[in-house]
């Protein structure tokens, strides 16, 4: 997985919208942007992924810059359950050892009532 | 869909004892992966099965660790003669072919 850069921590209040940034200046054309989140004593939870177009699902909206060198995970109406470490990683969807995921430190999102 | 199920959630063994960890992948997923996670080393790949066949065990310690997938509904990771350095959270993940990996809650192994 190629290198990504995320802020160490961010804070939010319940009900707010949070923008979690990730930069990936050396992303390759066949690399997808994946987001996972993890809370203590639980395995990583898949959030979303995208290649070029913005994507949305029940958990989050993923905004991808037109040059693909950065992306932003947008969480709307955050709750205490959204407090976690959010990991942004790059991986291809086929070939090589794309299943050998590695996580960096990620962004610790703190949500206060 | 119950997701990936791992049992037990927490296992405590004495040094030198054997530990067997169980994983039930998401129904219909053809790929099963084992990882372990520690604060120091982070997330480490151990081994990968596709359609029950071992594909890549390059992350497995050569001694004492073994993994099997006897049928499509479960996989086991066995650690013989456990050592304190084996203490970690062992994660199982499954995917449809090699697409998005979905992880279980993990088994926390504590070797005393």
């Amino acid at each position: 997985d190629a290198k990504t850069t995320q802020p160490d921590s961010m804070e939010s209040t319940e009900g707010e919208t949070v923008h979690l940034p990730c930069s990936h200046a050396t992303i390759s054309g066949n690399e997808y942007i994946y987001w996972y989140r993890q809370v203590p004593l639980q395995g990583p939870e898949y959030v979303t992924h995208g290649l070029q177009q913005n994507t949305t699902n029940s958990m989050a909206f993923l905004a991808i810059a037109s040059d693909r060198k950065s992306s932003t995970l947008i969480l709307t109406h955050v709750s205490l359950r959204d407090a976690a470490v959010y990991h942004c990683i790059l991986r291809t969807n086929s070939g090589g050892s794309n299943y050998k995921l590695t996580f960096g430190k990620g962004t610790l999102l703190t949500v206060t009532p | 869909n119950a997701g990936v199920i791992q049992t037990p959630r927490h296992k405590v063994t004495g040094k030198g004892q054997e530990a067997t960890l169980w994983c039930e992948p998401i129904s219909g997923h053809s790929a099963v992966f084992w990882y372990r996670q520690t604060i120091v080393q982070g997330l480490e790949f151990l081994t990968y099965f596709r359609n029950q066949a071992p594909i890549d065990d390059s992350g497995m310690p050569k001694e004492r660790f073994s993994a099997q997938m006897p049928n499509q509904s479960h996989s086991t990771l066995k650690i013989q003669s456990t050592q304190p350095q084996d203490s970690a959270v062992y994660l199982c993940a499954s995917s449809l072919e090699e697409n998005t990996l979905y992880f279980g809650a993990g088994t926390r192994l504590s070797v005393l």
Side-chain angles (χ1 to χ4, degrees):
Chain A
D1 299 321
K3 184 172 176 62
T4 61
T5 302
Q6 300 177 252
D8 289 341
S9 63
M10 293 186 68
E11 296 182 356
S12 181
T13 304
E14 275 193 302
E16 289 185 341
T17 294
V18 176
H19 293 71
L20 301 174
C22 181
S23 67
H24 26 80
T26 59
I27 188 170
S28 300
N30 64 346
E31 287 182 313
Y32 287 74
I33 302 154
Y34 271 78
W35 285 82
Y36 283 84
R37 69 183 185 183
Q38 189 170 20
V39 298
L41 305 180
Q42 291 289 328
E45 178 183 22
Y46 167 75
V47 178
T48 190
H49 75 283
L51 182 64
Q52 192 158 7
Q53 304 298 319
N54 296 339
T55 62
T56 188
N57 62 20
S58 60
M59 294 182 70
F61 179 83
L62 176 60
I64 302 174
S66 57
D67 64 3
R68 300 209 325 125
K69 294 183 185 298
S70 66
S71 61
T72 303
L73 186 72
I74 301 170
L75 307 176
T76 57
H77 306 295
V78 294
S79 70
L80 298 178
R81 293 178 63 248
D82 293 314
V85 177
Y86 286 78
H87 296 281
C88 167
I89 64 172
L90 306 181
R91 69 184 289 256
T92 61
N93 255 5
S94 63
S97 300
N98 69 322
Y99 45 83
K100 293 184 180 179
L101 304 187
T102 55
F103 290 165
K105 290 184 179 179
T107 297
L108 174 62
L109 175 64
T110 303
V111 181
T112 54
Chain B
N1 188 341
V4 176
I5 299 172
Q6 290 190 248
T7 54
R9 288 297 316 277
H10 190 196
K11 185 168 183 65
V12 181
T13 66
K15 182 179 175 181
Q17 292 183 328
E18 181 177 286
T20 300
L21 313 180
W22 296 74
C23 171
E24 180 180 331
I26 293 171
S27 177
H29 280 190
S30 54
V32 172
F33 310 85
W34 284 95
Y35 284 78
R36 69 179 172 187
Q37 188 174 35
T38 61
I39 293 175
V40 174
Q41 297 293 333
L43 190 66
E44 297 179 280
F45 166 81
L46 295 177
T47 191
Y48 160 36
F49 294 87
R50 185 170 63 220
N51 295 320
Q52 302 168 231
I55 302 299
D56 182 352
D57 67 353
S58 59
M60 293 278 274
K62 296 308 176 188
E63 298 178 354
R64 304 186 296 106
F65 282 64
S66 63
Q68 294 183 338
M69 191 161 185
N71 57 60
Q72 64 184 7
S73 63
H74 90 273
S75 174
T76 57
L77 179 68
K78 183 180 293 186
I79 307 172
Q80 296 178 312
S81 185
T82 54
Q83 302 297 310
Q85 62 265 30
D86 299 330
S87 296
V89 176
Y90 288 83
L91 295 163
C92 178
S94 72
S95 72
L96 198 58
E97 299 183 352
E98 292 177 5
N99 293 325
T100 302
L101 272 67
Y102 295 89
F103 287 85
T107 295
R108 178 174 297 275
L109 176 66
S110 301
V111 182
L112 304 180

mmCIF file of all heavy atoms in Angstrom, chain A residues 8-48:
data_model
loop_
_atom_site.group_PDB
_atom_site.id
_atom_site.type_symbol
_atom_site.label_atom_id
_atom_site.label_comp_id
_atom_site.label_asym_id
_atom_site.label_seq_id
_atom_site.Cartn_x
_atom_site.Cartn_y
_atom_site.Cartn_z
ATOM 1 N N ASP A 8 -3.082 13.559 12.953
ATOM 2 C CA ASP A 8 -3.085 12.609 14.060
ATOM 3 C C ASP A 8 -4.429 12.552 14.771
ATOM 4 O O ASP A 8 -4.865 11.485 15.210
ATOM 5 C CB ASP A 8 -2.008 12.987 15.081
ATOM 6 C CG ASP A 8 -0.608 12.722 14.568
ATOM 7 O OD1 ASP A 8 -0.457 11.934 13.611
ATOM 8 O OD2 ASP A 8 0.349 13.306 15.120
ATOM 9 N N SER A 9 -5.080 13.680 14.903
ATOM 10 C CA SER A 9 -6.323 13.702 15.661
ATOM 11 C C SER A 9 -7.237 14.820 15.198
ATOM 12 O O SER A 9 -6.779 15.822 14.620
ATOM 13 C CB SER A 9 -6.029 13.872 17.161
ATOM 14 O OG SER A 9 -5.404 15.107 17.409
ATOM 15 N N MET A 10 -8.521 14.634 15.427
ATOM 16 C CA MET A 10 -9.523 15.656 15.171
ATOM 17 C C MET A 10 -10.607 15.515 16.235
ATOM 18 O O MET A 10 -10.819 14.416 16.779
ATOM 19 C CB MET A 10 -10.134 15.505 13.776
ATOM 20 C CG MET A 10 -9.146 15.779 12.651
ATOM 21 S SD MET A 10 -9.900 15.783 11.021
ATOM 22 C CE MET A 10 -10.913 17.239 11.111
ATOM 23 N N GLU A 11 -11.284 16.627 16.501
ATOM 24 C CA GLU A 11 -12.348 16.622 17.492
ATOM 25 C C GLU A 11 -13.650 17.088 16.866
ATOM 26 O O GLU A 11 -13.651 17.896 15.937
ATOM 27 C CB GLU A 11 -11.977 17.533 18.670
ATOM 28 C CG GLU A 11 -10.761 17.067 19.458
ATOM 29 C CD GLU A 11 -10.472 17.976 20.634
ATOM 30 O OE1 GLU A 11 -11.169 18.996 20.795
ATOM 31 O OE2 GLU A 11 -9.548 17.666 21.396
ATOM 32 N N SER A 12 -14.739 16.578 17.394
ATOM 33 C CA SER A 12 -16.049 16.990 16.912
ATOM 34 C C SER A 12 -17.046 16.887 18.052
ATOM 35 O O SER A 12 -16.767 16.292 19.098
ATOM 36 C CB SER A 12 -16.472 16.108 15.738
ATOM 37 O OG SER A 12 -17.733 16.520 15.251
ATOM 38 N N THR A 13 -18.218 17.432 17.821
ATOM 39 C CA THR A 13 -19.325 17.358 18.771
ATOM 40 C C THR A 13 -20.463 16.602 18.114
ATOM 41 O O THR A 13 -20.648 16.695 16.890
ATOM 42 C CB THR A 13 -19.785 18.768 19.182
ATOM 43 O OG1 THR A 13 -18.653 19.482 19.713
ATOM 44 C CG2 THR A 13 -20.883 18.704 20.234
ATOM 45 N N GLU A 14 -21.198 15.865 18.901
ATOM 46 C CA GLU A 14 -22.335 15.110 18.376
ATOM 47 C C GLU A 14 -23.220 15.987 17.495
ATOM 48 O O GLU A 14 -23.526 17.132 17.849
ATOM 49 C CB GLU A 14 -23.174 14.554 19.530
ATOM 50 C CG GLU A 14 -22.690 13.238 20.074
ATOM 51 C CD GLU A 14 -23.717 12.591 20.991
ATOM 52 O OE1 GLU A 14 -24.094 13.229 21.990
ATOM 53 O OE2 GLU A 14 -24.139 11.457 20.699
ATOM 54 N N GLY A 15 -23.632 15.435 16.369
ATOM 55 C CA GLY A 15 -24.533 16.137 15.474
ATOM 56 C C GLY A 15 -23.843 16.953 14.398
ATOM 57 O O GLY A 15 -24.476 17.359 13.420
ATOM 58 N N GLU A 16 -22.553 17.186 14.573
ATOM 59 C CA GLU A 16 -21.818 17.975 13.590
ATOM 60 C C GLU A 16 -21.429 17.124 12.373
ATOM 61 O O GLU A 16 -21.552 15.893 12.388
ATOM 62 C CB GLU A 16 -20.546 18.555 14.215
ATOM 63 C CG GLU A 16 -20.800 19.662 15.219
ATOM 64 C CD GLU A 16 -19.497 20.274 15.715
ATOM 65 O OE1 GLU A 16 -18.431 19.638 15.568
ATOM 66 O OE2 GLU A 16 -19.551 21.392 16.257
ATOM 67 N N THR A 17 -20.934 17.799 11.356
ATOM 68 C CA THR A 17 -20.355 17.142 10.191
ATOM 69 C C THR A 17 -18.840 17.235 10.302
ATOM 70 O O THR A 17 -18.299 18.306 10.603
ATOM 71 C CB THR A 17 -20.825 17.807 8.890
ATOM 72 O OG1 THR A 17 -22.246 17.591 8.754
ATOM 73 C CG2 THR A 17 -20.122 17.212 7.682
ATOM 74 N N VAL A 18 -18.167 16.123 10.085
ATOM 75 C CA VAL A 18 -16.712 16.058 10.221
ATOM 76 C C VAL A 18 -16.079 15.755 8.866
ATOM 77 O O VAL A 18 -16.576 14.902 8.119
ATOM 78 C CB VAL A 18 -16.309 14.953 11.220
ATOM 79 C CG1 VAL A 18 -14.795 14.820 11.283
ATOM 80 C CG2 VAL A 18 -16.876 15.263 12.594
ATOM 81 N N HIS A 19 -15.014 16.473 8.571
ATOM 82 C CA HIS A 19 -14.252 16.251 7.344
ATOM 83 C C HIS A 19 -12.879 15.694 7.721
ATOM 84 O O HIS A 19 -12.066 16.401 8.316
ATOM 85 C CB HIS A 19 -14.079 17.559 6.566
ATOM 86 C CG HIS A 19 -15.349 18.104 6.006
ATOM 87 N ND1 HIS A 19 -16.333 18.655 6.785
ATOM 88 C CD2 HIS A 19 -15.795 18.169 4.729
ATOM 89 C CE1 HIS A 19 -17.331 19.044 6.015
ATOM 90 N NE2 HIS A 19 -17.045 18.766 4.769
ATOM 91 N N LEU A 20 -12.626 14.450 7.374
ATOM 92 C CA LEU A 20 -11.343 13.809 7.674
ATOM 93 C C LEU A 20 -10.493 13.794 6.400
ATOM 94 O O LEU A 20 -10.809 13.091 5.448
ATOM 95 C CB LEU A 20 -11.564 12.377 8.173
ATOM 96 C CG LEU A 20 -12.417 12.233 9.444
ATOM 97 C CD1 LEU A 20 -12.675 10.767 9.744
ATOM 98 C CD2 LEU A 20 -11.725 12.894 10.628
ATOM 99 N N PRO A 21 -9.371 14.539 6.392
ATOM 100 C CA PRO A 21 -8.573 14.625 5.176
ATOM 101 C C PRO A 21 -7.534 13.518 5.075
ATOM 102 O O PRO A 21 -7.077 12.967 6.081
ATOM 103 C CB PRO A 21 -7.885 15.987 5.318
ATOM 104 C CG PRO A 21 -7.718 16.140 6.802
ATOM 105 C CD PRO A 21 -8.893 15.441 7.444
ATOM 106 N N CYS A 22 -7.144 13.217 3.845
ATOM 107 C CA CYS A 22 -6.083 12.254 3.571
ATOM 108 C C CYS A 22 -5.378 12.695 2.295
ATOM 109 O O CYS A 22 -6.036 12.974 1.292
ATOM 110 C CB CYS A 22 -6.673 10.858 3.393
ATOM 111 S SG CYS A 22 -5.436 9.566 3.065
ATOM 112 N N SER A 23 -4.063 12.777 2.356
ATOM 113 C CA SER A 23 -3.328 13.116 1.140
ATOM 114 C C SER A 23 -2.540 11.901 0.668
ATOM 115 O O SER A 23 -2.007 11.145 1.475
ATOM 116 C CB SER A 23 -2.417 14.323 1.358
ATOM 117 O OG SER A 23 -1.405 14.051 2.222
ATOM 118 N N HIS A 24 -2.517 11.749 -0.626
ATOM 119 C CA HIS A 24 -1.835 10.591 -1.253
ATOM 120 C C HIS A 24 -1.262 11.053 -2.570
ATOM 121 O O HIS A 24 -1.744 10.673 -3.649
ATOM 122 C CB HIS A 24 -2.795 9.409 -1.419
ATOM 123 C CG HIS A 24 -4.234 9.774 -1.526
ATOM 124 N ND1 HIS A 24 -4.813 10.236 -2.686
ATOM 125 C CD2 HIS A 24 -5.216 9.765 -0.596
ATOM 126 C CE1 HIS A 24 -6.085 10.471 -2.467
ATOM 127 N NE2 HIS A 24 -6.364 10.200 -1.212
ATOM 128 N N ALA A 25 -0.202 11.840 -2.487
ATOM 129 C CA ALA A 25 0.350 12.524 -3.660
ATOM 130 C C ALA A 25 0.931 11.573 -4.695
ATOM 131 O O ALA A 25 1.043 11.925 -5.875
ATOM 132 C CB ALA A 25 1.414 13.528 -3.215
ATOM 133 N N THR A 26 1.321 10.373 -4.292
ATOM 134 C CA THR A 26 1.970 9.449 -5.234
ATOM 135 C C THR A 26 1.051 8.297 -5.633
ATOM 136 O O THR A 26 1.530 7.249 -6.063
ATOM 137 C CB THR A 26 3.268 8.892 -4.617
ATOM 138 O OG1 THR A 26 2.946 8.206 -3.402
ATOM 139 C CG2 THR A 26 4.263 10.013 -4.326
ATOM 140 N N ILE A 27 -0.232 8.491 -5.528
ATOM 141 C CA ILE A 27 -1.184 7.435 -5.854
ATOM 142 C C ILE A 27 -1.037 7.014 -7.314
ATOM 143 O O ILE A 27 -0.830 7.846 -8.212
ATOM 144 C CB ILE A 27 -2.628 7.905 -5.554
ATOM 145 C CG1 ILE A 27 -3.620 6.752 -5.689
ATOM 146 C CG2 ILE A 27 -3.011 9.091 -6.432
ATOM 147 C CD1 ILE A 27 -5.014 7.098 -5.185
ATOM 148 N N SER A 28 -1.148 5.722 -7.556
ATOM 149 C CA SER A 28 -1.077 5.185 -8.913
ATOM 150 C C SER A 28 -2.481 5.098 -9.512
ATOM 151 O O SER A 28 -3.467 5.072 -8.788
ATOM 152 C CB SER A 28 -0.448 3.790 -8.915
ATOM 153 O OG SER A 28 0.855 3.828 -8.391
ATOM 154 N N GLY A 29 -2.531 5.016 -10.844
ATOM 155 C CA GLY A 29 -3.818 5.040 -11.530
ATOM 156 C C GLY A 29 -4.745 3.891 -11.167
ATOM 157 O O GLY A 29 -5.966 4.029 -11.249
ATOM 158 N N ASN A 30 -4.191 2.757 -10.771
ATOM 159 C CA ASN A 30 -5.024 1.599 -10.468
ATOM 160 C C ASN A 30 -5.247 1.412 -8.975
ATOM 161 O O ASN A 30 -5.736 0.363 -8.542
ATOM 162 C CB ASN A 30 -4.397 0.333 -11.060
ATOM 163 C CG ASN A 30 -3.052 0.016 -10.445
ATOM 164 O OD1 ASN A 30 -2.447 0.847 -9.772
ATOM 165 N ND2 ASN A 30 -2.559 -1.182 -10.670
ATOM 166 N N GLU A 31 -4.878 2.384 -8.184
ATOM 167 C CA GLU A 31 -5.046 2.279 -6.732
ATOM 168 C C GLU A 31 -6.344 2.917 -6.280
ATOM 169 O O GLU A 31 -6.651 4.061 -6.623
ATOM 170 C CB GLU A 31 -3.868 2.909 -6.001
ATOM 171 C CG GLU A 31 -2.598 2.069 -6.081
ATOM 172 C CD GLU A 31 -1.454 2.677 -5.308
ATOM 173 O OE1 GLU A 31 -1.221 3.893 -5.454
ATOM 174 O OE2 GLU A 31 -0.778 1.931 -4.579
ATOM 175 N N TYR A 32 -7.086 2.159 -5.480
ATOM 176 C CA TYR A 32 -8.303 2.642 -4.858
ATOM 177 C C TYR A 32 -7.954 3.288 -3.509
ATOM 178 O O TYR A 32 -6.964 2.923 -2.871
ATOM 179 C CB TYR A 32 -9.278 1.497 -4.607
ATOM 180 C CG TYR A 32 -9.950 0.956 -5.844
ATOM 181 C CD1 TYR A 32 -9.259 0.168 -6.747
ATOM 182 C CD2 TYR A 32 -11.290 1.228 -6.095
ATOM 183 C CE1 TYR A 32 -9.878 -0.335 -7.877
ATOM 184 C CE2 TYR A 32 -11.924 0.720 -7.210
ATOM 185 C CZ TYR A 32 -11.211 -0.054 -8.106
ATOM 186 O OH TYR A 32 -11.832 -0.547 -9.222
ATOM 187 N N ILE A 33 -8.788 4.206 -3.095
ATOM 188 C CA ILE A 33 -8.673 4.828 -1.773
ATOM 189 C C ILE A 33 -9.673 4.130 -0.857
ATOM 190 O O ILE A 33 -10.884 4.147 -1.118
ATOM 191 C CB ILE A 33 -8.985 6.328 -1.846
ATOM 192 C CG1 ILE A 33 -8.045 7.017 -2.831
ATOM 193 C CG2 ILE A 33 -8.884 6.962 -0.453
ATOM 194 C CD1 ILE A 33 -8.629 8.272 -3.445
ATOM 195 N N TYR A 34 -9.147 3.490 0.175
ATOM 196 C CA TYR A 34 -9.984 2.759 1.118
ATOM 197 C C TYR A 34 -9.951 3.457 2.477
ATOM 198 O O TYR A 34 -8.921 3.962 2.898
ATOM 199 C CB TYR A 34 -9.462 1.324 1.319
ATOM 200 C CG TYR A 34 -10.029 0.314 0.356
ATOM 201 C CD1 TYR A 34 -9.557 0.229 -0.948
ATOM 202 C CD2 TYR A 34 -11.017 -0.561 0.765
ATOM 203 C CE1 TYR A 34 -10.081 -0.711 -1.819
ATOM 204 C CE2 TYR A 34 -11.551 -1.508 -0.107
ATOM 205 C CZ TYR A 34 -11.075 -1.577 -1.406
ATOM 206 O OH TYR A 34 -11.595 -2.500 -2.265
ATOM 207 N N TRP A 35 -11.075 3.424 3.153
ATOM 208 C CA TRP A 35 -11.158 3.920 4.529
ATOM 209 C C TRP A 35 -11.685 2.809 5.437
ATOM 210 O O TRP A 35 -12.703 2.165 5.127
ATOM 211 C CB TRP A 35 -12.084 5.140 4.624
ATOM 212 C CG TRP A 35 -11.481 6.398 4.098
ATOM 213 C CD1 TRP A 35 -11.412 6.801 2.792
ATOM 214 C CD2 TRP A 35 -10.866 7.442 4.863
ATOM 215 N NE1 TRP A 35 -10.798 8.023 2.710
ATOM 216 C CE2 TRP A 35 -10.460 8.448 3.952
ATOM 217 C CE3 TRP A 35 -10.626 7.636 6.234
ATOM 218 C CZ2 TRP A 35 -9.817 9.616 4.370
ATOM 219 C CZ3 TRP A 35 -10.001 8.798 6.638
ATOM 220 C CH2 TRP A 35 -9.602 9.773 5.710
ATOM 221 N N TYR A 36 -10.964 2.606 6.513
ATOM 222 C CA TYR A 36 -11.397 1.725 7.587
ATOM 223 C C TYR A 36 -11.403 2.538 8.871
ATOM 224 O O TYR A 36 -10.703 3.543 8.984
ATOM 225 C CB TYR A 36 -10.433 0.546 7.764
ATOM 226 C CG TYR A 36 -10.563 -0.557 6.749
ATOM 227 C CD1 TYR A 36 -9.917 -0.482 5.513
ATOM 228 C CD2 TYR A 36 -11.318 -1.696 7.024
ATOM 229 C CE1 TYR A 36 -10.033 -1.515 4.590
ATOM 230 C CE2 TYR A 36 -11.438 -2.727 6.103
ATOM 231 C CZ TYR A 36 -10.791 -2.630 4.892
ATOM 232 O OH TYR A 36 -10.905 -3.652 3.972
ATOM 233 N N ARG A 37 -12.143 2.084 9.854
ATOM 234 C CA ARG A 37 -12.073 2.693 11.177
ATOM 235 C C ARG A 37 -11.982 1.584 12.219
ATOM 236 O O ARG A 37 -12.401 0.447 11.974
ATOM 237 C CB ARG A 37 -13.278 3.584 11.453
ATOM 238 C CG ARG A 37 -14.619 2.874 11.633
ATOM 239 C CD ARG A 37 -15.725 3.890 11.824
ATOM 240 N NE ARG A 37 -17.011 3.257 12.109
ATOM 241 C CZ ARG A 37 -18.150 3.927 12.264
ATOM 242 N NH1 ARG A 37 -18.163 5.260 12.170
ATOM 243 N NH2 ARG A 37 -19.272 3.286 12.530
ATOM 244 N N GLN A 38 -11.393 1.925 13.350
ATOM 245 C CA GLN A 38 -11.190 0.928 14.382
ATOM 246 C C GLN A 38 -11.350 1.550 15.749
ATOM 247 O O GLN A 38 -10.809 2.627 16.018
ATOM 248 C CB GLN A 38 -9.804 0.281 14.246
ATOM 249 C CG GLN A 38 -9.595 -0.923 15.146
ATOM 250 C CD GLN A 38 -8.318 -1.693 14.825
ATOM 251 O OE1 GLN A 38 -7.402 -1.177 14.207
ATOM 252 N NE2 GLN A 38 -8.264 -2.956 15.255
ATOM 253 N N VAL A 39 -12.093 0.860 16.594
ATOM 254 C CA VAL A 39 -12.221 1.247 17.995
ATOM 255 C C VAL A 39 -11.492 0.216 18.828
ATOM 256 O O VAL A 39 -11.262 -0.916 18.370
ATOM 257 C CB VAL A 39 -13.696 1.355 18.433
ATOM 258 C CG1 VAL A 39 -14.406 2.431 17.620
ATOM 259 C CG2 VAL A 39 -14.423 0.023 18.304
ATOM 260 N N PRO A 40 -11.096 0.582 20.047
ATOM 261 C CA PRO A 40 -10.362 -0.370 20.895
ATOM 262 C C PRO A 40 -11.123 -1.678 21.089
ATOM 263 O O PRO A 40 -12.349 -1.687 21.213
ATOM 264 C CB PRO A 40 -10.218 0.404 22.216
ATOM 265 C CG PRO A 40 -10.246 1.828 21.819
ATOM 266 C CD PRO A 40 -11.201 1.917 20.675
ATOM 267 N N LEU A 41 -10.388 -2.755 21.063
ATOM 268 C CA LEU A 41 -10.915 -4.099 21.308
ATOM 269 C C LEU A 41 -11.838 -4.587 20.183
ATOM 270 O O LEU A 41 -12.581 -5.554 20.369
ATOM 271 C CB LEU A 41 -11.637 -4.171 22.658
ATOM 272 C CG LEU A 41 -10.823 -3.737 23.877
ATOM 273 C CD1 LEU A 41 -11.643 -3.856 25.143
ATOM 274 C CD2 LEU A 41 -9.535 -4.539 23.978
ATOM 275 N N GLN A 42 -11.805 -3.941 19.025
ATOM 276 C CA GLN A 42 -12.574 -4.398 17.869
ATOM 277 C C GLN A 42 -11.675 -4.453 16.642
ATOM 278 O O GLN A 42 -10.660 -3.760 16.582
ATOM 279 C CB GLN A 42 -13.743 -3.445 17.588
ATOM 280 C CG GLN A 42 -14.841 -3.466 18.630
ATOM 281 C CD GLN A 42 -15.651 -4.743 18.614
ATOM 282 O OE1 GLN A 42 -15.837 -5.363 17.550
ATOM 283 N NE2 GLN A 42 -16.129 -5.160 19.766
ATOM 284 N N GLY A 43 -12.056 -5.293 15.673
ATOM 285 C CA GLY A 43 -11.299 -5.321 14.436
ATOM 286 C C GLY A 43 -11.598 -4.107 13.577
ATOM 287 O O GLY A 43 -12.572 -3.394 13.812
ATOM 288 N N PRO A 44 -10.771 -3.856 12.565
ATOM 289 C CA PRO A 44 -11.037 -2.732 11.661
ATOM 290 C C PRO A 44 -12.387 -2.917 10.973
ATOM 291 O O PRO A 44 -12.740 -4.022 10.573
ATOM 292 C CB PRO A 44 -9.888 -2.819 10.648
ATOM 293 C CG PRO A 44 -8.819 -3.598 11.343
ATOM 294 C CD PRO A 44 -9.530 -4.552 12.225
ATOM 295 N N GLU A 45 -13.113 -1.819 10.829
ATOM 296 C CA GLU A 45 -14.425 -1.839 10.175
ATOM 297 C C GLU A 45 -14.308 -1.106 8.843
ATOM 298 O O GLU A 45 -13.865 0.046 8.801
ATOM 299 C CB GLU A 45 -15.474 -1.177 11.063
ATOM 300 C CG GLU A 45 -16.868 -1.115 10.444
ATOM 301 C CD GLU A 45 -17.872 -0.392 11.317
ATOM 302 O OE1 GLU A 45 -17.454 0.407 12.179
ATOM 303 O OE2 GLU A 45 -19.085 -0.608 11.129
ATOM 304 N N TYR A 46 -14.709 -1.745 7.780
ATOM 305 C CA TYR A 46 -14.713 -1.113 6.460
ATOM 306 C C TYR A 46 -15.708 0.043 6.449
ATOM 307 O O TYR A 46 -16.848 -0.089 6.930
ATOM 308 C CB TYR A 46 -15.088 -2.140 5.399
ATOM 309 C CG TYR A 46 -15.434 -1.553 4.051
ATOM 310 C CD1 TYR A 46 -14.455 -1.063 3.200
ATOM 311 C CD2 TYR A 46 -16.764 -1.487 3.641
ATOM 312 C CE1 TYR A 46 -14.781 -0.528 1.977
ATOM 313 C CE2 TYR A 46 -17.093 -0.955 2.410
ATOM 314 C CZ TYR A 46 -16.099 -0.476 1.578
ATOM 315 O OH TYR A 46 -16.433 0.062 0.367
ATOM 316 N N VAL A 47 -15.280 1.182 5.907
ATOM 317 C CA VAL A 47 -16.169 2.337 5.818
ATOM 318 C C VAL A 47 -16.609 2.570 4.376
ATOM 319 O O VAL A 47 -17.797 2.558 4.076
ATOM 320 C CB VAL A 47 -15.493 3.612 6.384
ATOM 321 C CG1 VAL A 47 -16.432 4.812 6.234
ATOM 322 C CG2 VAL A 47 -15.100 3.415 7.842
ATOM 323 N N THR A 48 -15.649 2.770 3.500
ATOM 324 C CA THR A 48 -15.972 3.041 2.106
ATOM 325 C C THR A 48 -14.710 2.992 1.264
ATOM 326 O O THR A 48 -13.604 2.887 1.804
ATOM 327 C CB THR A 48 -16.653 4.420 1.956
ATOM 328 O OG1 THR A 48 -17.171 4.561 0.625
ATOM 329 C CG2 THR A 48 -15.659 5.554 2.232
#
